[in-house]
Amino acid sequence: MTAPASPARSLPTGPAPARRWPAVLTGTAAMALVGSSAAVSGALGDAPLWTVQALRYAAASLLLLAAARASGQRLHRPHGAEWAWLVGVCAVGLMVFNVALVRGAAHAEPVVLGVAVAGVPLLLALIGPLLERRRPGTRAVAAAAVVTGGAVLVQGFGRSDTTGLAWALLVLACEAGFTLLAVPVLARHGAWGVSVHATWLAALGFGALAVLVDGPSAVLALTAADLLAVAHLAVGVTAVAFVLWYSAVRRLGAGRAGLLTGVAPVAAAGSGVLLGGAVPGAVVWAGVAVVAGGLVLGLAPRSPR
């Protein structure tokens, strides 16, 4: 069994400031796309869930394969322990995450699950450096706490029972696992490879659920509006966002890149307004300012002593 390349030798502890900002912009764009999915996913509330997810990841994997070939990206076949990490990304970060969202929504308001996801920056700041064989930085952890606090303000608060809180914690763990489980294989497979393997594995997993739970004929019940929403999720939120996000994680490290997850709830609030929703109140704007302050704290270069 061949182990993946050591993250300590191939993943950066942090690029030089001049090279950091392109990666920051890449990660910000990825999280903006993820945030936009909130409004689009709401339009799929009556569609067969597992069929939609199977179509989403099947389309995304085909798009990624075609784009990788057209751009000359070299894709490696996983071997040894790499299979475990990639299956973990798919199973935890994609499949169990979606199950937890669905089950949690029956016991908690959507805002509660959103607040759980808002804790991802802090979790990545604490665990990410350990996977990269470094100690968590005090400044990074403090910045992550600020970003998390701002994201909570943007999301707001909601009601939940004990079961809902348990599902919310699982949502948090799965969302963090989507990034953390990819760290050991990013060195050899890169952003393109991890994205391709995660999406085709997810297509198989959700495809099996679609047949068993929704039934083979469920795809015929999808409307034109459903298919448009699936296309947006497949192209922007999956194929493009995955490559952008893993590129940022590879260049910034999981801890620093994790700060950018605070952009997702801000983007979700903004997309809601663009689609005709109410303009956010003062608390949401305060949360946006707090998120921005945390990003500056964690990503701005340190002044020389």
Side-chain angles (χ1 to χ4, degrees), residues 17 20-21 134-141 256 296-305:
R20 180 183 303 166
W21 294 112
R134 297 184 290 110
R135 295 177 59 183
T138 303
R139 181 185 179 188
V141 172
R256 283 192 180 90
V296 171
L297 174 62
L299 296 174
R302 297 181 180 181
S303 57
R305 294 184 179 180

Side-chain angles (χ1 to χ4, degrees), residues 144-284:
V146 173
V147 170
T148 293
V152 169
L153 288 175
V154 172
Q155 292 280 355
F157 296 92
R159 294 186 298 272
S160 173
D161 57 22
T162 304
T163 303
L165 291 176
W167 283 115
L169 289 175
L170 182 58
V171 167
L172 168 61
C174 291
E175 181 70 5
F178 175 73
T179 298
L180 295 173
L181 291 170
V183 169
V185 289
L186 270 174
R188 193 170 85 90
H189 290 275
W192 283 88
V194 173
S195 299
V196 167
H197 293 306
T199 51
W200 73 258
L201 286 168
L204 290 180
F206 282 118
L209 284 174
V211 172
L212 294 174
V213 180
D214 296 338
S217 62
V219 67
L220 300 177
L222 296 176
T223 65
D226 293 335
L227 293 176
L228 284 175
V230 170
H232 174 77
L233 293 175
V235 178
V237 182
T238 305
V240 176
F242 279 25
V243 172
L244 292 178
W245 177 246
Y246 284 132
S247 297
V249 172
R250 188 177 186 184
R251 295 178 66 182
L252 295 172
R256 283 192 180 90
L259 296 173
L260 300 172
T261 60
V263 172
V266 176
S271 63
V273 174
L274 292 176
L275 292 175
V279 176
V283 174
V284 174

